[in-house]
Amino acid sequence: MAADDVIKAHVKALKEGTDHARSLAQTLLNVPYGEGEGEKLDAYIPTTNSLDVPLVIYLHGGYWQFLSKEESGFMAVPLMDKGVVVVAVGYDIAPRGNMDLMVSQVRRSVVSVVQQYSHISGLYLCGHSAGAHLAAMVLSTDWSQYSFMPEIKGAFLVSGIYDLLPILSTYVNEPLKMTEEVAIRNSPSKLIPQTLKATGVNVTLEDVSNTDHFSIIEQLVDEDYHLTKLLLKMMGKR
């Protein structure tokens, strides 16, 4: 497939999965987490009487310049079947949004979600590509600057970009207009002086065979997919 066709197929797969989830789930759509027009989220809520209800916040990819929460509910069906709430977060992609704004938005979205869904048993993050970068930035937040410190029990970072400096000289940076200073302060790899393992966090690295950058996340619609099982296992749901 040509590069443009790969992107189109990816967007189509995610949109179809999201439409399917919306047809099956109880949803709360376009819930504001801030005052900005792009600061909205969608919640996919399982039918369950259990008090053990984990919540996964999903941050979409798209090189910070395409995709949206409208294509980000695709993974909800297999997770809802296990009693998991899925929240897809929107943020202002470039050129409307810059990197500092996007990072600020996803951090604030996490605080808002925890305050709105205070009954959840555990908060988890999942992000793909640029969304994995944003999830990593959430993990490196100095929460003393906020009125609330969320307890994040786990994170699932899929095919992320953790050093933004190599992007500066590429076409990806044209709409982002990042300077070196912006790239450094928004690179998770520059913000963590020691490894996550050294801080006592349980870390695993998975090399998922027979996938590419796009199919690795698209397949989360399948309850039998390796990463779906791992995500549920992380939450104690499998």
Side-chain angles (χ1 to χ4, degrees), residues 31-34 41 107-117 148:
V31 178
Y33 64 83
L41 55 84
R107 286 171 169 166
R108 286 187 282 113
S109 77
V110 171
V111 173
S112 177
V113 166
V114 174
Q115 290 174 334
Q116 291 184 57
Y117 302 96
F148 190 84

Coordinates of all heavy atoms in Angstrom, one line a residue, residues 31-34 41 107-117 148:
V31 N -17.9 15.5 26.8 CA -17.8 16.0 28.2 C -16.7 16.9 28.3 O -15.5 16.5 28.0 CB -17.7 14.8 29.2 CG1 -17.6 15.3 30.6 CG2 -18.8 13.8 29.0
P32 N -16.9 18.2 28.7 CA -15.8 19.1 28.8 C -14.9 18.8 30.0 O -15.3 18.4 31.1 CB -16.5 20.5 29.0 CG -17.8 20.1 29.5 CD -18.2 18.8 29.0
Y33 N -13.6 18.9 29.8 CA -12.6 18.8 30.9 C -11.9 20.2 31.1 O -11.0 20.3 32.0 CB -11.6 17.7 30.8 CG -10.7 17.8 29.6 CD1 -9.5 18.6 29.7 CD2 -10.9 17.1 28.4 CE1 -8.6 18.7 28.6 CE2 -10.0 17.2 27.3 CZ -8.9 18.0 27.4 OH -8.0 18.1 26.4
G34 N -12.2 21.1 30.3 CA -11.7 22.5 30.3 C -12.6 23.4 29.6 O -13.6 23.0 29.1
L41 N -14.0 15.1 26.1 CA -13.7 13.6 26.2 C -15.0 12.8 26.0 O -16.1 13.3 26.2 CB -13.0 13.3 27.5 CG -13.6 13.7 28.8 CD1 -14.7 12.6 29.3 CD2 -12.6 13.8 29.9
R107 N -2.8 16.5 30.7 CA -2.6 16.4 32.1 C -3.9 16.9 32.8 O -4.3 16.2 33.8 CB -1.4 17.3 32.5 CG -0.1 16.7 32.2 CD 1.1 17.7 32.4 NE 2.4 17.0 32.3 CZ 3.5 17.7 32.2 NH1 3.5 19.0 32.1 NH2 4.6 17.0 32.1
R108 N -4.5 18.0 32.4 CA -5.7 18.4 33.0 C -6.9 17.5 32.8 O -7.8 17.4 33.6 CB -6.0 19.8 32.4 CG -5.1 20.9 33.0 CD -5.6 22.3 32.6 NE -5.2 22.6 31.2 CZ -6.1 22.8 30.2 NH1 -7.4 22.7 30.4 NH2 -5.6 23.1 29.0
S109 N -6.9 16.8 31.7 CA -7.9 15.8 31.4 C -7.9 14.7 32.4 O -8.9 14.2 32.9 CB -7.8 15.2 30.0 OG -6.8 14.3 29.9
V110 N -6.7 14.3 32.8 CA -6.5 13.2 33.8 C -7.1 13.7 35.1 O -7.8 12.9 35.8 CB -5.1 12.8 33.9 CG1 -4.9 11.8 35.1 CG2 -4.6 12.1 32.6
V111 N -6.8 14.9 35.6 CA -7.3 15.4 36.8 C -8.8 15.5 36.8 O -9.5 15.1 37.7 CB -6.7 16.8 37.1 CG1 -7.4 17.4 38.3 CG2 -5.2 16.7 37.3
S112 N -9.4 15.9 35.7 CA -10.8 16.1 35.5 C -11.5 14.7 35.6 O -12.5 14.6 36.2 CB -11.1 16.8 34.2 OG -12.5 16.9 34.0
V113 N -10.9 13.7 34.9 CA -11.5 12.4 34.9 C -11.6 11.8 36.3 O -12.6 11.3 36.7 CB -10.7 11.4 34.0 CG1 -11.1 10.0 34.2 CG2 -11.0 11.8 32.5
V114 N -10.5 11.9 37.0 CA -10.5 11.4 38.4 C -11.5 12.1 39.3 O -12.2 11.5 40.1 CB -9.1 11.5 39.0 CG1 -9.1 11.1 40.5 CG2 -8.1 10.6 38.2
Q115 N -11.7 13.4 39.1 CA -12.6 14.1 39.9 C -14.1 13.8 39.5 O -15.0 13.7 40.4 CB -12.4 15.6 39.7 CG -11.1 16.1 40.4 CD -10.7 17.5 40.1 OE1 -11.2 18.1 39.1 NE2 -10.0 18.2 41.0
Q116 N -14.3 13.5 38.2 CA -15.7 13.2 37.8 C -16.0 11.7 38.0 O -17.2 11.4 38.2 CB -15.8 13.5 36.3 CG -15.7 14.9 35.9 CD -16.0 15.1 34.4 OE1 -17.0 14.7 33.8 NE2 -15.0 15.8 33.7
Y117 N -15.0 10.9 38.0 CA -15.3 9.4 38.2 C -14.6 9.0 39.5 O -13.7 8.1 39.4 CB -14.9 8.6 37.0 CG -15.6 9.1 35.8 CD1 -15.0 10.0 34.9 CD2 -16.8 8.6 35.4 CE1 -15.6 10.4 33.7 CE2 -17.5 9.1 34.3 CZ -16.9 10.0 33.4 OH -17.5 10.4 32.3
F148 N -4.7 18.6 42.5 CA -5.0 17.2 42.7 C -3.9 16.3 42.2 O -3.3 16.6 41.2 CB -6.3 16.9 42.0 CG -6.9 15.6 42.3 CD1 -7.8 15.4 43.4 CD2 -6.7 14.5 41.5 CE1 -8.3 14.2 43.7 CE2 -7.2 13.2 41.8 CZ -8.1 13.1 42.9

